[in-house]
Amino acid sequence: MRSKFKWIFALLLALSVQVTFAQEKTVTGTVKDSEGFPLPGVTVTVAGTNKGANTDIDGKYSITAAQGQSLVFSYVGLATQTQPVGASSNIDVTLKAAQTDLEVVTINTGYKTFTKRDNPSAISTISIDAIEERANASVIQNLQGQVSGLSVSTGSGQPGADSTIILRGVGSINGNIEPLFIVDGSPVDEDGFRSINQNDIATISVLKDASATSIYGNRGGNGVIVITTKRGKLNEKMKFRYSSQYGINEIQGLNIELMNSRQMLKLEQQYGGGLGGGKTDAEIEARAKQANTNWADIFFRKGATQTHDLSITSGSEKTTNFTSLSYFEQDGIFLNTNFKRFSLRNNFTGRSENNKFTYSLNYSANFSRQNGIDGAGTNAIYFAPFSAALRGLPYLSPYDADGSITMDGGIASGDASGITPDKIPYVLLNSVRMNTDIEDEFKMVTAFNANYNFAKNLTAGIQMGVDYSTFTTKEVLHPNSILGPFQVNQAAEFGGIQSEGSTRDFRFNTTASLNYNNTFGKHNIDVTAYTEYNKAHYDGINFQVRGLDPRLLGTGAAFVDFNTQELGGEIYTPTIGSFKLQEGLFSYFANAQYDYDSKYVLSGTIRRDASFRFIDDNKWGTFWSVGAGWSIDQEAFMKDKTAFNLLKLRGSYGTSGNQRIINAQYSGLNLTRTLYGQGGGYDSGNSTFLTQLGNSFLQWEELKQANIGVDFGVWKNKLSGTVDVYVKTTEELFQDRPVSPVNGTSIIQANIGSMENRGIEADLKYVLYDKSNWNISVNANASYNKNKILELAPSFEGIEFNGGASALIEGEPVDVFYVQRYVGVNPANGNALFLDAEGNLTENMLDADRVSTGKSVYPVWQGGFGTNIGFKGFEFTTQWSWMADLWRNNLDLGTVEETNVIDDGGNRATSVLTAWQNPGDITSVPRVGNPFNSVDYINGTDRYLEDGSFLRLRNVSLGYSFNSKTLEKTPFSGVKFFIQAENIITFSSYRGWDAEAGFRSTDRGNYPTPKIYTFGATINF
């Protein structure tokens, strides 16, 4: 009986296996793109199972599936497609562009990767098309107007200049206000992007709310921007991509009308000063005909821009590789300024035979050189070209007798009588031609990542990264230049200065992790524990030598021996300095996320940080967050019954921090220590004195943020977007706190006070038309942020004012303009009229009559919009950016409207011709000789406080791509030609070179953002 049972059981088992194999079969096919090319590396999975495969180099795949199941085909950048398995064993698929597929949008947080559907946080992503092939030296500049809530402003148009980035408002008074940047998993310097090739970038994710940023602890308080670079694909044939651009850049238009020679001479004649003072009309007419110089035409030029970029991608069954080489060069619009960059990148990935072990190595090396001028935006009048272009007297000729641009205007080297304010343009031309100002940077960013799936549902990982930069600077003021002899002693044999400096910045980061991920039924759980260590070292050396032999300039042999005795002593003694700093951070943290049926997502993060900056109990801080998402469109009452393809409600609350309590990477390292110095004391004896009173209770600033958001897609995602509302509060603000002078100081740095940012953000995209070879879409984003100081140190009694034009006031934005109100000119006597604190008219300028204007340098509103139009091979795109309700003082205008004096060696705006002259005159320009100068008005009143709002056509591009049929008999797989322009149209009421200002409070001869026009080509083969 027992043997019969065994026989029957074996028969049933065989029948069962036979039935099973009868149900499953091998399905094969080919996956191609919309142009008919095979796609290697496409992921093919059986829906609802762990079965998967990848297409090979010819786009072919093979997978086992049963009839009635479905195959899911997915590829980054293309729309995911699902095909049911029927009677046929062959399924061929064509994947189209994922222009309206929100499900495949990849969101990278640096530690995790999500799709739009399973992301519970406020995170924005930027497509590579929005930043690639742009003609700016830094990719950061390309982000302006691309993401709601992200304010990007470049304070200088000098090639290679850094930008200021603010996310969801200013979060600190004295500390760091910019986001943390992560490149391929490694934190990097936010000011180092001029040395990174933007064409290497694959994705950019902007992390906004606490649910996304708290995992970065005390570095994530101002948001996080995560950048990943390009990689090859598995089973991909070797491909080459060459891209090149060439073009020109030029200065923005000036909307201040300056006087010509005749007007300026007549003004001087009228008030008895300058060259025109005392001249007859005939003499003025004769002089005006000799020269009528627009100094902007002399100082500024049309510079050239060129780029060359070559990338190579390849992939085998288990490895991928991406290699790129790039050269970028851009001339500045001012003479002798330019920027050059060489970059190399190699990204390699590999995996084991069983796919359980994966690793990657990303390496980039970049060298850049910037030739510039340090005087732009400063009061160094002999080195400030944009101030000189405004103030340069039009009746001075820029030419020598032979018709060439003058080198010195006839001023001899060391001639003190020739160095007067009216000769500034000549001194500047001399400095530009003869002096040297070079900054070289070598930057290496390397990241290694490895993961091992050592047990079911368990994966261990390690990440290591290095951001290493060296800077060398060299400035030479030529001994034979006009200013050269004054650098030592006018009577000395040798003049000139040579200053050099070299710094090294090494930042190391390593993270170890253990991840548990399991799916059972409709449930998915993902839990990861981490430890992280960050260490940074910064050192440098510098020297300055006064006294150079012009015959040997350029080498150390030009340095005059410091033992040389001259003018009664050793006057050529050099100065040498060095420094060495370090900082560190140790952390352990964990993140968990739960997903049910792709409907409900719940996440939580907790992190403990130990900072190098703080001591005792304040060394450690705890940061945390919770977030949740509800995909309403997946509910039975919504699914397939409405126009919504995506409708997700998100909410989060949590904390993060800011350990950089002073706005620099290596700042505030010793503030917990009491320090002493040595110096002269009573009766010339040596004394020890207090230099810093330590505060052992210092800690990081803490940010608390609540966020509610909605993600949606309607009508097959023709209309899609995101809306977020947030409240962000900064507590334990780092700021000055008055103490009794009995302590040896009247101020101590402390954590006290709070600040709030409230705002709303919206991102929208609408596909207007997508058929008959046409694709037309529009996009827009906008944000509103209201910044307010909630609390200052009690001893300030609600207001901290230390001079200048701004103050810290409870209930007002940070650095609000705190000035006296200017209302015009007294018709009776031509003096300026102001309002006192009570609103009464007065001619007195007093600090007691200052009031808060409610106006700040930071925008309340900002955003952008654009269009994308495609027809067959043609593509036309525009991208506009705008900011509104931001203010700054316009000293450029104030300088050329100066009526305190006329004969100060500078030109004037034509508006000065309307200055008050006789009783009864109605004008906005005070009389010549009024008691206040332009700096008085800037520091004490709102006369030159102007609205810096602007709307700018940031980029416009027209391109044509040849189709595959046209190229089928050529070695090329793709060819595209394009023309584009940057910053070509700006609408603003602001008067000056450039409405964009980098959030500075005062414009004073700053380097404006240029217009850039380029023509380019991209060739794939």
Side-chain angles (χ1 to χ4, degrees):
M1 183 70 180
R2 187 175 181 181
S3 61
K4 286 184 179 181
F5 177 78
K6 288 181 178 179
W7 180 83
I8 294 171
F9 180 77
L11 179 62
L12 291 173
L13 180 62
L15 289 172
S16 173
V17 171
Q18 185 175 13
V19 169
T20 300
F21 277 100
Q23 289 177 333
E24 291 190 338
K25 60 183 177 181
T26 299
V27 180
T28 61
T30 303
V31 182
K32 298 180 180 181
D33 63 18
S34 58
E35 295 185 349
F37 288 100
L39 279 173
V42 175
T43 300
V44 186
T45 59
V46 179
T49 74
N50 293 324
K51 291 183 180 179
N54 291 317
T55 57
D56 62 18
I57 203 164
D58 296 314
K60 298 183 181 300
Y61 72 93
S62 177
I63 193 169
T64 302
Q67 187 171 336
Q69 290 183 312
S70 296
L71 300 184
V72 181
F73 300 83
S74 59
Y75 189 83
V76 175
L78 300 179
T80 300
Q81 191 173 137
T82 302
Q83 290 286 343
V85 178
S88 175
S89 297
N90 182 266
I91 299 177
D92 294 329
V93 172
T94 298
L95 296 183
K96 298 181 179 179
Q99 295 177 343
T100 59
D101 191 347
L102 301 180
E103 301 289 335
V104 300
V105 175
T106 301
I107 300 171
N108 193 315
T109 69
Y111 294 106
K112 300 273 188 178
T113 299
F114 301 98
T115 64
K116 192 81 170 178
R117 173 70 67 185
D118 57 19
N119 168 47
S121 307
I123 301 176
S124 295
T125 58
I126 302 170
S127 70
I128 187 60
D129 295 335
I131 59 174
E132 199 173 41
E133 308 294 5
R134 298 277 292 271
N136 294 307
S138 171
V139 65
I140 300 302
Q141 297 176 24
N142 299 337
L143 300 183
Q144 188 186 87
Q146 303 267 22
V147 178
S148 62
L150 185 68
S151 301
V152 179
S153 187
T154 303
S156 171
Q158 183 159 300
D162 295 322
S163 300
T164 301
I165 310 102
I166 299 174
L167 182 61
R168 289 188 166 182
V170 178
S172 179
I173 292 176
N174 296 303
N176 178 43
I177 60 172
E178 296 190 85
L180 172 68
F181 280 83
I182 305 292
V183 176
D184 291 329
S186 297
V188 298
D189 180 9
E190 68 268 17
D191 293 327
F193 282 87
R194 74 179 193 185
S195 293
I196 294 179
N197 178 17
Q198 59 192 6
N199 290 334
D200 288 345
I201 293 174
T203 65
I204 298 179
S205 298
V206 181
L207 282 56
K208 299 179 178 180
D209 69 342
S211 177
T213 63
S214 66
I215 198 169
Y216 289 95
N218 67 17
R219 298 171 298 157
N222 297 304
V224 183
I225 297 180
V226 179
I227 297 174
T228 60
T229 56
K230 295 177 180 177
R231 297 184 177 186
K233 298 181 176 66
L234 294 172
N235 299 308
E236 180 180 46
K237 292 180 180 179
M238 184 173 290
K239 294 180 180 180
F240 295 83
R241 180 183 182 275
Y242 173 71
S243 177
S244 179
Q245 291 186 63
Y246 182 81
I248 61 171
N249 36 289
E250 63 183 15
I251 194 170
Q252 301 276 347
L254 177 67
N255 58 354
I256 300 175
E257 186 178 353
L258 299 175
M259 289 189 184
N260 58 32
S261 293
R262 182 176 292 102
Q263 289 171 320
M264 189 61 202
L265 287 167
K266 291 289 288 183
L267 183 71
E268 292 174 336
Q269 179 195 50
Q270 180 180 355
Y271 293 102
L275 183 63
K279 288 189 180 296
T280 65
D281 289 348
E283 290 173 326
I284 286 177
E285 191 66 26
R287 181 58 195 244
K289 291 180 179 179
Q290 293 177 17
N292 187 32
T293 304
N294 180 356
W295 284 100
D297 295 337
I298 306 301
F299 291 131
F300 310 134
R301 63 180 178 179
K302 289 186 177 181
T305 296
Q306 62 172 316
T307 64
H308 301 277
D309 187 83
L310 175 66
S311 63
I312 307 169
T313 58
S314 62
S316 64
E317 185 179 354
K318 298 297 180 182
T319 64
T320 71
N321 192 74
F322 172 84
T323 302
S324 72
L325 296 164
S326 177
Y327 174 73
F328 176 91
E329 181 176 0
Q330 188 171 79
D331 293 332
I333 53 180
F334 177 62
L335 299 174
N336 206 38
T337 59
N338 77 333
F339 176 79
K340 298 178 181 179
R341 179 183 65 216
F342 303 86
S343 60
L344 165 69
R345 172 173 294 278
N346 185 253
N347 292 348
F348 181 84
T349 71
R351 60 181 62 192
S352 62
E353 289 298 322
N354 61 4
N355 295 330
K356 289 190 174 183
F357 179 79
T358 62
Y359 70 98
S360 65
L361 177 64
N362 299 337
Y363 173 82
S364 70
N366 311 271
F367 173 81
S368 65
R369 167 166 290 183
Q370 183 183 61
N371 287 286
I373 186 165
D374 289 339
T378 73
N379 60 359
I381 60 175
Y382 293 106
F383 301 93
F386 297 93
S387 292
L390 288 171
R391 298 188 74 252
L393 291 167
Y395 51 72
L396 296 181
S397 174
Y399 303 106
D400 284 332
D402 61 1
S404 61
I405 299 293
T406 185
M407 276 278 290
D408 51 30
I411 305 172
S413 177
D415 180 7
S417 65
I419 305 178
T420 54
D422 60 312
K423 299 298 194 299
I424 287 175
Y426 294 144
V427 178
L428 182 60
L429 281 174
N430 182 261
S431 298
V432 169
R433 303 284 180 82
M434 300 192 70
N435 298 340
T436 300
D437 186 354
I438 296 174
E439 180 178 291
D440 291 342
E441 178 189 22
F442 172 78
K443 188 176 186 68
M444 180 187 72
V445 179
T446 301
F448 173 78
N449 181 284
N451 292 281
Y452 179 45
N453 181 202
F454 63 93
K456 184 178 180 181
N457 303 323
L458 288 173
T459 301
I462 186 169
Q463 157 91 33
M464 292 184 290
V466 170
D467 177 13
Y468 175 72
S469 302
T470 64
F471 293 88
T472 58
T473 60
K474 182 178 181 180
E475 297 183 16
V476 180
L477 197 154
H478 200 290
N480 290 343
S481 67
I482 293 175
L483 299 176
F486 299 97
Q487 307 312 309
V488 181
N489 187 302
Q490 191 176 353
E493 180 180 358
F494 298 99
I497 298 178
Q498 181 162 329
S499 303
E500 294 190 32
S502 178
T503 63
R504 298 181 300 179
D505 189 347
F506 179 85
R507 308 181 189 188
F508 174 76
N509 165 269
T510 182
T511 305
S513 63
L514 179 64
N515 171 261
Y516 172 79
N517 186 291
N518 192 16
T519 300
F520 46 96
K522 296 181 179 181
H523 307 271
N524 176 265
I525 296 176
D526 184 280
V527 181
T528 310
Y530 303 86
T531 62
E532 185 172 30
Y533 176 69
N534 291 271
K535 194 63 185 284
H537 300 269
Y538 185 48
D539 61 61
I541 188 169
N542 58 79
F543 70 86
Q544 184 180 83
V545 174
R546 293 177 180 267
L548 306 174
D549 187 336
R551 299 168 300 178
L552 302 171
L553 206 62
T555 68
F559 302 165
V560 178
D561 189 341
F562 67 88
N563 290 315
T564 301
Q565 295 289 320
E566 194 175 325
L567 301 177
E570 296 176 351
I571 62 174
Y572 300 114
T573 303
T575 57
I576 301 174
S578 66
F579 65 89
K580 185 175 183 179
L581 302 170
Q582 62 178 343
E583 67 156 13
L585 181 71
F586 176 75
S587 314
Y588 56 89
F589 51 106
N591 170 265
Q593 181 159 319
Y594 168 74
D595 181 290
Y596 175 74
D597 197 22
S598 296
K599 294 181 184 178
Y600 314 108
V601 179
L602 181 66
S603 71
T605 298
I606 187 168
R607 176 168 177 140
R608 290 273 288 167
D609 282 328
S611 174
F612 183 89
R613 284 178 167 84
F614 313 116
I615 60 175
D616 301 332
D617 293 340
N618 290 326
K619 177 181 288 289
W620 285 93
T622 302
F623 307 96
W624 58 273
S625 72
V626 292
W630 176 25
S631 293
I632 305 173
D633 61 293
Q634 296 298 301
E635 297 289 354
F637 62 83
M638 288 281 289
K639 195 170 186 179
D640 300 325
K641 296 178 182 179
T642 70
F644 283 95
N645 308 102
L646 174 67
L647 181 61
K648 186 175 72 173
L649 178 65
R650 293 178 284 100
S652 66
Y653 182 80
T655 64
S656 53
N658 183 11
Q659 70 157 341
R660 284 168 53 180
I661 52 178
I662 299 179
N663 189 18
Q665 177 72 25
Y666 296 95
S667 62
L669 302 180
N670 293 307
L671 294 178
T672 58
R673 303 169 61 191
T674 297
L675 303 177
Y676 295 88
Q678 182 180 349
Y682 177 75
D683 198 22
S684 300
N686 289 329
S687 298
T688 300
F689 56 89
L690 181 72
T691 59
Q692 176 180 287
L693 183 61
N695 183 355
S696 61
F697 298 101
L698 277 180
Q699 65 176 69
W700 37 69
E701 298 176 336
E702 185 174 4
L703 291 93
K704 300 177 179 179
Q705 186 172 187
N707 189 97
I708 296 176
V710 176
D711 302 325
F712 64 90
V714 188
W715 307 311
K716 297 183 179 179
N717 293 323
K718 286 190 66 176
L719 174 64
S720 59
T722 298
V723 178
D724 281 277
V725 179
Y726 63 87
V727 178
K728 182 171 69 171
T729 304
T730 307
E731 299 179 348
E732 304 295 343
L733 283 171
F734 177 78
Q735 54 183 311
D736 292 340
R737 188 183 74 189
V739 295
S740 171
V742 73
N743 293 290
T745 180
S746 59
I747 291 291
I748 187 175
Q749 283 77 39
N751 294 99
I752 189 167
S754 58
M755 178 192 300
E756 179 186 81
N757 287 278
R758 289 176 175 264
I760 183 170
E761 303 166 345
D763 293 84
L764 299 172
K765 180 181 178 181
Y766 183 60
V767 181
L768 294 170
Y769 192 80
D770 188 15
K771 60 178 66 174
S772 303
N773 295 315
W774 282 92
N775 179 271
I776 304 174
S777 64
V778 294
N779 62 83
N781 70 82
S783 63
Y784 166 83
N785 182 83
K786 185 64 174 177
N787 173 266
K788 180 170 64 175
I789 295 176
L790 300 178
E791 180 186 2
L792 295 170
S795 54
F796 285 127
E797 298 181 348
I799 180 169
E800 182 180 355
F801 173 65
N802 297 310
S806 62
L808 300 175
I809 304 175
E810 290 181 358
E812 299 287 357
V814 64
D815 290 328
V816 66
F817 285 101
Y818 179 63
V819 291
Q820 196 168 353
R821 291 162 289 179
Y822 175 79
V823 294
V825 177
N826 188 339
N829 58 17
N831 288 334
L833 283 175
F834 313 99
L835 295 180
D836 64 18
E838 303 302 322
N840 303 308
L841 288 174
T842 178
E843 293 184 3
N844 299 316
M845 188 186 296
L846 301 173
D847 284 346
D849 290 325
R850 292 174 182 258
V851 297
S852 173
T853 62
K855 300 171 181 177
S856 172
V857 298
Y858 302 107
V860 176
W861 300 87
Q862 69 92 32
F865 57 90
T867 58
N868 293 271
I869 301 174
F871 175 67
K872 295 187 176 179
F874 289 96
E875 183 179 13
F876 176 74
T877 64
T878 63
Q879 192 247 316
W880 296 77
S881 64
W882 57 272
M883 293 184 184
D885 201 2
L886 70 162
W887 302 79
R888 68 179 177 276
N889 270 318
N890 191 342
L891 186 53
D892 286 336
L893 179 62
T895 300
V896 294
E897 278 194 347
E898 179 70 76
T899 55
N900 173 250
V901 295
I902 289 297
D903 57 342
D904 61 355
N907 196 11
R908 292 294 187 270
T910 56
S911 55
V912 173
L913 298 175
T914 67
W916 183 96
Q917 298 182 48
N918 300 299
D921 286 352
I922 304 299
T923 179
S924 62
V925 182
R927 64 180 173 84
V928 172
N930 81 89
F932 304 117
N933 61 34
S934 58
V935 176
D936 294 329
Y937 287 115
I938 290 291
N939 288 332
T941 78
D942 64 355
R943 179 181 176 188
Y944 292 108
L945 182 59
E946 295 201 336
D947 186 356
S949 302
F950 67 88
L951 169 64
R952 169 166 285 172
L953 180 54
R954 192 69 180 174
N955 178 265
V956 58
S957 175
L958 175 64
Y960 179 76
S961 299
F962 292 90
N963 60 42
S964 57
K965 186 175 182 180
T966 304
L967 301 174
E968 61 184 1
K969 294 184 179 180
T970 72
F972 308 120
S973 58
V975 175
K976 177 183 178 181
F977 292 98
F978 60 91
I979 56 174
Q980 66 172 336
E982 300 270 346
N983 311 315
I984 59 171
I985 301 173
T986 303
F987 301 98
S988 178
S989 63
Y990 186 81
R991 293 171 289 179
W993 294 109
D994 189 11
E996 186 177 352
F999 311 126
R1000 58 178 172 261
S1001 61
T1002 302
D1003 263 3
R1004 183 174 188 162
N1006 298 86
Y1007 204 127
T1009 304
K1011 299 179 181 180
I1012 307 174
Y1013 308 86
T1014 60
F1015 167 79
T1018 301
I1019 302 172
N1020 296 283
F1021 52 95

